[in-house]
Amino acid sequence: MSYLLVHDEREYLRAPGDELQTDLGVLDVPEDVEPGDVLETHLGEEFVVRRLRGPDLFNHFERTGAPMMPRDVGLIVGHAGIAAGDRVLDAGTGTGVLAAYLGRMHADVVSYEIDPDFADVARENMRLAGVDDRVEVRTGDLSAELDAAVEDGPFDALTLDTGDAPDIVARAPDFLASGGHVAVYSPFVENSREAVEAAREAGLVDVETYETIQREMDFGARGSRPSTAGVGHTGYLTFARNAR
């Protein structure tokens, strides 16, 4: 498990035994470090040790692309009902934010990443998050490994962030547990439509798609209003459930 080392507005993610080098000095993170400890660099600058929380994964993981936003993770967990002890089959690991969130919830995750370099980064991110014992990152294409997924199943949830998600959704009843959920994230609505059609043809039920939008509020002397910075759109989430 890693911890945040915080000095004013500066934060660094480090594991016990790691070294931190900054312009504020060098410090070694003790093996027995605990949240709330205060560590000093060789220049006498203090860093407070903070426990890692979910949003910190988004802020501090090494990135291999645009990571999934915390709000999208929350919707996936809420709509798919993922809980401790569940088995999750995931594809399109990327940075690994979703997989790490689920691992921190004590779900067991098998995640496929087609790019070997991205997979290596994701494995290191799982180590930093302290979930490498619950999240297995496999290098490969899930759409080409569906027969193996059937053998490894059943899974309580299927989470997809890939362009070929509709092809995988079409086989979902073969490896989903009874009542298990599918969650598909897509930046493009066309892909969401294809996922919906595949889910319906496969006999899945409770098929629904949402656009995810979140707007920050501005509170000022003149009044309160939604922020005009950005539209707050991230993508589309499609959910479905195995009726068998």
Side-chain angles (χ1 to χ4, degrees):
M1 172 64 71
S2 298
Y3 297 93
L4 289 179
L5 307 183
V6 183
H7 178 92
D8 295 331
E9 295 183 355
R10 299 167 66 171
E11 298 180 350
Y12 301 90
L13 183 62
R14 294 293 187 275
D18 285 352
E19 182 181 73
L20 174 67
Q21 297 186 17
T22 74
D23 59 307
L24 300 176
V26 179
L27 66 81
D28 293 315
V29 183
E31 294 289 349
D32 60 349
V33 68
E34 294 287 343
D37 289 351
V38 178
L39 307 179
E40 286 192 11
T41 71
H42 78 289
L43 297 178
E45 297 289 345
E46 293 185 345
F47 282 80
V48 177
V49 180
R50 183 182 298 166
R51 185 179 302 279
L52 187 69
R53 302 292 183 181
D56 301 320
L57 307 177
F58 177 82
N59 294 328
H60 293 283
F61 268 1
E62 181 178 348
R63 298 187 177 187
T64 52
M68 187 172 290
M69 297 288 288
R71 63 173 173 264
D72 295 313
V73 174
L75 287 169
I76 289 173
V77 171
H79 281 271
I82 300 171
D86 281 352
R87 300 187 68 226
V88 181
L89 180 61
D90 176 63
T93 316
T95 298
V97 169
L98 175 61
Y101 260 95
L102 299 180
R104 286 170 56 82
M105 292 169 52
H106 288 263
D108 295 311
V109 184
V110 176
S111 186
Y112 281 81
E113 172 53 56
I114 196 169
D115 186 300
D117 293 333
F118 288 9
D120 287 340
V121 171
R123 292 186 189 102
E124 174 61 15
N125 284 340
M126 296 309 107
R127 184 190 71 82
L128 289 173
V131 296
D132 49 330
D133 60 333
R134 291 189 291 274
V135 179
E136 177 189 357
V137 179
R138 296 180 181 177
T139 303
D141 183 356
L142 176 57
S143 63
E145 301 287 341
L146 289 178
D147 289 339
V150 173
E151 294 296 324
D152 290 343
F155 293 91
D156 300 291
L158 170 66
T159 57
L160 303 172
D161 184 3
T162 62
D164 62 355
D167 296 333
I168 302 172
V169 170
R171 291 283 307 277
D174 295 337
F175 49 81
L176 271 182
S178 177
H181 285 83
V182 174
V184 179
Y185 173 84
S186 176
F188 304 111
V189 71
E190 292 87 353
N191 190 257
S192 295
R193 182 183 181 90
E194 292 175 2
V196 166
E197 293 172 350
R200 289 172 175 167
E201 291 178 6
L204 300 178
V205 298
D206 299 335
V207 183
E208 52 191 4
T209 298
Y210 299 95
E211 179 185 14
T212 60
I213 298 176
Q214 185 178 55
R215 293 194 297 175
E216 185 176 354
M217 295 295 296
D218 286 339
F219 298 101
R222 296 178 58 192
S224 308
R225 58 179 291 175
S227 172
T228 57
V231 297
H233 164 89
T234 50
Y236 304 93
L237 286 169
T238 296
F239 301 97
R241 193 171 193 181
N242 189 13
R244 299 180 184 175

